[in-house]
Amino acid sequence: MVFGVADALPARLAGDIHAVLRRYASGDDFLQLFPVPLWSFLHWAAPTDGAARGHAERAHALSLLLHLWDDHLVDAQLPLNFARLHVRGAVWADFVDAARSLCRESAVPQSVVDSHADTYLNAVGAPEEPADLAAYCAVFERQAAVWTVVPRILAESAAAPAELAALVGDFAVAWRLTDDVHDVAADTAAGVRGAVWHELRTPAGSSRPSVADPDAAAARLRARAGRLLDSAEHRARQAGLTGLARELALSRLGLP
């Protein structure tokens, strides 16, 4: 699905985009870049067929690509050229169009899409400096607004449980925390102020390990991620999404 974003480009420029996408995806399975519950909710909670299903799948796949593409363009992991800049605009336009089409099909106001789009653009385009770890998590939750728009539309149309957007948001922040712990050495070398950096500068309480201990900070972050996953799993079970709840439980393996 995402490989079609370059179809309108001349063959030479399209070739560059396809090469980048294949490097990301190691083939054609783009979704393997992301943890399962971040996209499998479509299997458990979205309409099984019809136009709404197609719009939901396209909008969410494009939201995943958009988040990755923007992140890598901004931090220069993906060197900028004309084709990559052009594709960024095309992906955004296609994402908004698919999400609005889902709204029309689902009788949901298109202002839902506008609200999530504004939240995302403000969070990534003019990010505030987080004061602490809680603020850092809140910023990322806003950056994940493109990932929660499809769950929210589905919930507002009553096609999915009301808890869907919140549980996807909980999972997204948990993933951010565990990813930051995994990447702490690279982030430190690059001067990136990730979750570990913010946890280390948080004043220690009397019952907490020393904030000067990065291993203890990482353990606390994994525990925080575990609580978010517990929350997401609880929401899924309350909503009757037992398959999604099992996948969320599996995502907790290796955490405290």
Side-chain angles (χ1 to χ4, degrees), residues 113-207:
V113 179
D114 299 336
S115 173
H116 279 249
D118 287 351
T119 298
Y120 172 76
L121 291 173
N122 283 321
V124 300
E128 59 196 58
E129 179 63 30
D132 52 26
L133 180 63
Y136 175 81
C137 292
V139 168
F140 185 75
E141 189 170 7
R142 293 195 292 275
Q143 291 176 353
V146 288
W147 293 347
T148 56
V149 65
V150 168
R152 182 177 168 193
I153 295 168
L154 294 174
E156 291 207 4
S157 70
E163 298 88 346
L164 188 60
L167 76 84
V168 172
D170 282 347
F171 180 82
V173 176
W175 180 51
R176 173 77 278 165
L177 294 176
T178 55
D179 198 51
D180 279 5
V181 169
H182 181 268
D183 293 342
V184 62
D187 284 350
T188 301
V192 175
R193 294 181 174 182
V196 177
W197 188 89
H198 286 286
E199 177 64 19
L200 284 170
R201 67 194 287 254
T202 301
S206 59
S207 63

Side-chain angles (χ1 to χ4, degrees), residues 34-57:
F34 300 92
V36 171
L38 201 54
W39 48 265
S40 70
F41 71 84
L42 288 167
H43 170 73
W44 301 111
T48 56
D49 53 25
R53 175 72 182 203
H55 295 320
E57 288 181 347

Side-chain angles (χ1 to χ4, degrees), residues 84-107:
R84 296 167 188 178
L85 182 63
H86 174 83
V87 161
R88 194 277 169 196
V91 170
W92 177 262
D94 286 352
F95 158 70
V96 170
D97 180 68
R100 287 177 174 168
S101 295
L102 177 60
C103 283
R104 287 193 296 271
E105 191 69 27
S106 306

